[in-house]
PDB file of all heavy atoms in Angstrom:
ATOM      1  N   LEU A 378      10.595   0.127  15.855  1.00 98.00           N
ATOM      2  CA  LEU A 378      11.857  -0.545  15.621  1.00 98.00           C
ATOM      3  C   LEU A 378      12.961  -0.039  16.561  1.00 98.00           C
ATOM      4  O   LEU A 378      13.071   1.163  16.810  1.00 98.00           O
ATOM      5  CB  LEU A 378      12.286  -0.259  14.144  1.00 98.00           C
ATOM      6  CG  LEU A 378      13.243  -1.281  13.526  1.00 98.00           C
ATOM      7  CD1 LEU A 378      12.502  -2.581  13.207  1.00 98.00           C
ATOM      8  CD2 LEU A 378      13.865  -0.718  12.233  1.00 98.00           C
ATOM      9  N   SER A 380      17.210  -0.555  17.304  1.00 96.00           N
ATOM     10  CA  SER A 380      18.462  -1.127  16.774  1.00 96.00           C
ATOM     11  C   SER A 380      19.623  -0.688  17.629  1.00 96.00           C
ATOM     12  O   SER A 380      19.579   0.369  18.297  1.00 96.00           O
ATOM     13  CB  SER A 380      18.648  -0.764  15.305  1.00 96.00           C
ATOM     14  OG  SER A 380      18.751   0.652  15.195  1.00 96.00           O
ATOM     15  N   LEU A 386      27.009  -4.425   5.386  1.00 95.00           N
ATOM     16  CA  LEU A 386      26.664  -5.652   4.631  1.00 95.00           C
ATOM     17  C   LEU A 386      26.890  -5.435   3.155  1.00 95.00           C
ATOM     18  O   LEU A 386      26.734  -4.315   2.635  1.00 95.00           O
ATOM     19  CB  LEU A 386      25.211  -6.035   4.898  1.00 95.00           C
ATOM     20  CG  LEU A 386      24.825  -6.397   6.344  1.00 95.00           C
ATOM     21  CD1 LEU A 386      23.326  -6.566   6.452  1.00 95.00           C
ATOM     22  CD2 LEU A 386      25.548  -7.655   6.748  1.00 95.00           C
ATOM     23  N   LEU A 417      13.617  -5.137  -1.742  1.00 92.00           N
ATOM     24  CA  LEU A 417      14.583  -4.095  -1.365  1.00 92.00           C
ATOM     25  C   LEU A 417      16.033  -4.509  -1.694  1.00 92.00           C
ATOM     26  O   LEU A 417      16.840  -3.674  -2.035  1.00 92.00           O
ATOM     27  CB  LEU A 417      14.478  -3.831   0.105  1.00 92.00           C
ATOM     28  CG  LEU A 417      13.113  -3.336   0.601  1.00 92.00           C
ATOM     29  CD1 LEU A 417      13.110  -3.216   2.116  1.00 92.00           C
ATOM     30  CD2 LEU A 417      12.733  -2.007  -0.057  1.00 92.00           C
ATOM     31  N   ILE A 489      18.483  -5.727  15.602  1.00 98.00           N
ATOM     32  CA  ILE A 489      17.268  -5.026  15.190  1.00 98.00           C
ATOM     33  C   ILE A 489      16.070  -5.747  15.835  1.00 98.00           C
ATOM     34  O   ILE A 489      15.878  -6.964  15.628  1.00 98.00           O
ATOM     35  CB  ILE A 489      17.142  -5.027  13.671  1.00 98.00           C
ATOM     36  CG1 ILE A 489      18.332  -4.286  13.016  1.00 98.00           C
ATOM     37  CG2 ILE A 489      15.812  -4.366  13.249  1.00 98.00           C
ATOM     38  CD1 ILE A 489      18.399  -4.487  11.498  1.00 98.00           C
ATOM     39  N   ARG A 500       8.461  -5.723   7.273  1.00 97.00           N
ATOM     40  CA  ARG A 500       8.887  -4.761   6.228  1.00 97.00           C
ATOM     41  C   ARG A 500       9.879  -3.730   6.791  1.00 97.00           C
ATOM     42  O   ARG A 500      10.893  -3.378   6.205  1.00 97.00           O
ATOM     43  CB  ARG A 500       7.668  -4.070   5.664  1.00 97.00           C
ATOM     44  CG  ARG A 500       7.988  -3.238   4.385  1.00 97.00           C
ATOM     45  CD  ARG A 500       8.314  -4.127   3.237  1.00 97.00           C
ATOM     46  NE  ARG A 500       8.415  -3.394   1.991  1.00 97.00           N
ATOM     47  CZ  ARG A 500       8.486  -3.964   0.813  1.00 97.00           C
ATOM     48  NH1 ARG A 500       8.423  -5.289   0.737  1.00 97.00           N
ATOM     49  NH2 ARG A 500       8.633  -3.282  -0.300  1.00 97.00           N
ATOM     50  N   ALA A 501       9.541  -3.246   8.004  1.00 98.00           N
ATOM     51  CA  ALA A 501      10.409  -2.258   8.636  1.00 98.00           C
ATOM     52  C   ALA A 501      11.774  -2.859   8.967  1.00 98.00           C
ATOM     53  O   ALA A 501      12.807  -2.194   8.798  1.00 98.00           O
ATOM     54  CB  ALA A 501       9.766  -1.750   9.902  1.00 98.00           C
ATOM     55  N   ALA A 502      11.798  -4.163   9.344  1.00 98.00           N
ATOM     56  CA  ALA A 502      13.078  -4.810   9.622  1.00 98.00           C
ATOM     57  C   ALA A 502      13.866  -4.954   8.307  1.00 98.00           C
ATOM     58  O   ALA A 502      15.111  -4.749   8.310  1.00 98.00           O
ATOM     59  CB  ALA A 502      12.849  -6.184  10.210  1.00 98.00           C
ATOM     60  N   ALA A 503      13.213  -5.301   7.225  1.00 97.00           N
ATOM     61  CA  ALA A 503      13.906  -5.448   5.942  1.00 97.00           C
ATOM     62  C   ALA A 503      14.466  -4.089   5.498  1.00 97.00           C
ATOM     63  O   ALA A 503      15.551  -4.036   4.955  1.00 97.00           O
ATOM     64  CB  ALA A 503      12.942  -5.973   4.900  1.00 97.00           C
ATOM     65  N   GLU A 504      13.753  -2.998   5.751  1.00 96.00           N
ATOM     66  CA  GLU A 504      14.251  -1.702   5.433  1.00 96.00           C
ATOM     67  C   GLU A 504      15.529  -1.384   6.253  1.00 96.00           C
ATOM     68  O   GLU A 504      16.490  -0.838   5.696  1.00 96.00           O
ATOM     69  CB  GLU A 504      13.204  -0.609   5.737  1.00 96.00           C
ATOM     70  CG  GLU A 504      12.005  -0.673   4.828  1.00 96.00           C
ATOM     71  CD  GLU A 504      10.882   0.240   5.296  1.00 96.00           C
ATOM     72  OE1 GLU A 504      11.056   0.920   6.319  1.00 96.00           O
ATOM     73  OE2 GLU A 504       9.800   0.258   4.650  1.00 96.00           O
ATOM     74  N   ALA A 505      15.525  -1.773   7.512  1.00 96.00           N
ATOM     75  CA  ALA A 505      16.669  -1.518   8.369  1.00 96.00           C
ATOM     76  C   ALA A 505      17.896  -2.355   7.929  1.00 96.00           C
ATOM     77  O   ALA A 505      19.026  -1.859   7.941  1.00 96.00           O
ATOM     78  CB  ALA A 505      16.361  -1.883   9.819  1.00 96.00           C
ATOM     79  N   VAL A 506      17.633  -3.579   7.441  1.00 96.00           N
ATOM     80  CA  VAL A 506      18.753  -4.362   6.906  1.00 96.00           C
ATOM     81  C   VAL A 506      19.285  -3.797   5.631  1.00 96.00           C
ATOM     82  O   VAL A 506      20.468  -3.663   5.417  1.00 96.00           O
ATOM     83  CB  VAL A 506      18.254  -5.853   6.714  1.00 96.00           C
ATOM     84  CG1 VAL A 506      19.299  -6.650   5.895  1.00 96.00           C
ATOM     85  CG2 VAL A 506      17.977  -6.531   8.018  1.00 96.00           C
ATOM     86  N   ALA A 507      18.347  -3.366   4.764  1.00 94.00           N
ATOM     87  CA  ALA A 507      18.755  -2.761   3.507  1.00 94.00           C
ATOM     88  C   ALA A 507      19.594  -1.508   3.709  1.00 94.00           C
ATOM     89  O   ALA A 507      20.486  -1.208   2.906  1.00 94.00           O
ATOM     90  CB  ALA A 507      17.527  -2.466   2.642  1.00 94.00           C
ATOM     91  N   ALA A 508      19.297  -0.773   4.791  1.00 93.00           N
ATOM     92  CA  ALA A 508      20.042   0.447   5.097  1.00 93.00           C
ATOM     93  C   ALA A 508      21.471   0.177   5.438  1.00 93.00           C
ATOM     94  O   ALA A 508      22.331   1.064   5.380  1.00 93.00           O
ATOM     95  CB  ALA A 508      19.358   1.190   6.205  1.00 93.00           C
ATOM     96  N   LEU A 509      21.821  -1.083   5.758  1.00 94.00           N
ATOM     97  CA  LEU A 509      23.191  -1.464   6.050  1.00 94.00           C
ATOM     98  C   LEU A 509      23.998  -1.809   4.856  1.00 94.00           C
ATOM     99  O   LEU A 509      25.201  -2.134   4.947  1.00 94.00           O
ATOM    100  CB  LEU A 509      23.206  -2.648   7.055  1.00 94.00           C
ATOM    101  CG  LEU A 509      22.477  -2.440   8.393  1.00 94.00           C
ATOM    102  CD1 LEU A 509      22.532  -3.721   9.197  1.00 94.00           C
ATOM    103  CD2 LEU A 509      23.098  -1.285   9.179  1.00 94.00           C
ATOM    104  N   THR A 510      23.361  -1.797   3.698  1.00 90.00           N
ATOM    105  CA  THR A 510      24.048  -2.191   2.456  1.00 90.00           C
ATOM    106  C   THR A 510      24.164  -1.037   1.496  1.00 90.00           C
ATOM    107  O   THR A 510      23.333  -0.109   1.453  1.00 90.00           O
ATOM    108  CB  THR A 510      23.263  -3.309   1.721  1.00 90.00           C
ATOM    109  OG1 THR A 510      22.036  -2.766   1.201  1.00 90.00           O
ATOM    110  CG2 THR A 510      22.900  -4.431   2.709  1.00 90.00           C
TER     111      THR A 510
END
Side-chain angles (χ1 to χ4, degrees):
L378 204 74
S380 60
L386 296 173
L417 301 176
I489 298 167
R500 189 71 173 192
E504 292 170 1
V506 170
L509 302 177
T510 70

